[in-house]
Amino acid sequence: MSRERARRREEREREAAVRAAARAATEERAERRAARRRRVASVLPRPRPQATGVLARRRRNQTLATLALVVLVNVVSFAFLEHWAARLLVIIVSVLAAPVLHTLLFRRT
């Protein structure tokens, strides 16, 4: 009976040692990963916080409206123009004219 208890205790201790070694290996991997992330994050620039005010929202909406208008012009040109050269010309002109269009549509007074 005593030998049986000793054998069971040895098995329990061996299983506990295996579990402790697995847990230590997992913790070591997690720590290495966290250290690697800290190293990479220290090199990367910090993201700027997104502006959340009324003026920022207005500016985002204006920019999206200008972008939507430019995309709409390009989609319509692709639908109705047959030559690739004409389509390419419309794309180039729309990209170059987008800031001017934005200024004309949303002029600050």
Side-chain angles (χ1 to χ4, degrees):
M1 185 77 139
S2 174
R3 286 185 206 159
E4 181 67 23
R5 275 188 279 166
R7 188 181 59 76
R8 288 182 190 161
R9 184 173 6 106
E10 280 183 23
E11 286 179 11
R12 283 194 308 267
E13 289 174 355
R14 200 172 328 126
E15 289 174 4
V18 167
R19 283 193 302 268
R23 186 173 46 251
T26 303
E27 289 174 1
E28 182 182 351
R29 279 193 307 270
E31 179 58 36
R32 283 196 314 252
R33 190 171 123 218
R36 190 170 43 245
R37 288 186 71 162
R38 283 192 301 269
R39 252 191 332 266
V40 169
S42 69
V43 175
L44 295 176
R46 303 253 185 256
R48 291 185 348 205
Q50 178 97 13
T52 58
V54 175
L55 296 177
R57 184 173 49 237
R58 181 188 304 166
R59 181 174 180 179
R60 277 194 301 272
N61 288 340
Q62 290 174 353
T63 304
L64 284 174
T66 304
L67 183 64
L69 194 59
V70 169
V71 168
L72 180 69
V73 166
N74 284 306
V75 167
V76 168
S77 72
F78 264 74
F80 292 114
L81 294 176
E82 296 178 10
H83 299 290
W84 281 99
R87 292 174 177 173
L88 185 63
L89 183 66
V90 169
I91 289 174
I92 292 171
V93 169
S94 67
V95 167
L96 293 175
V100 175
L101 178 67
H102 184 79
T103 302
L104 291 176
L105 287 177
F106 306 111
R107 181 180 308 169
R108 294 183 200 159
T109 56

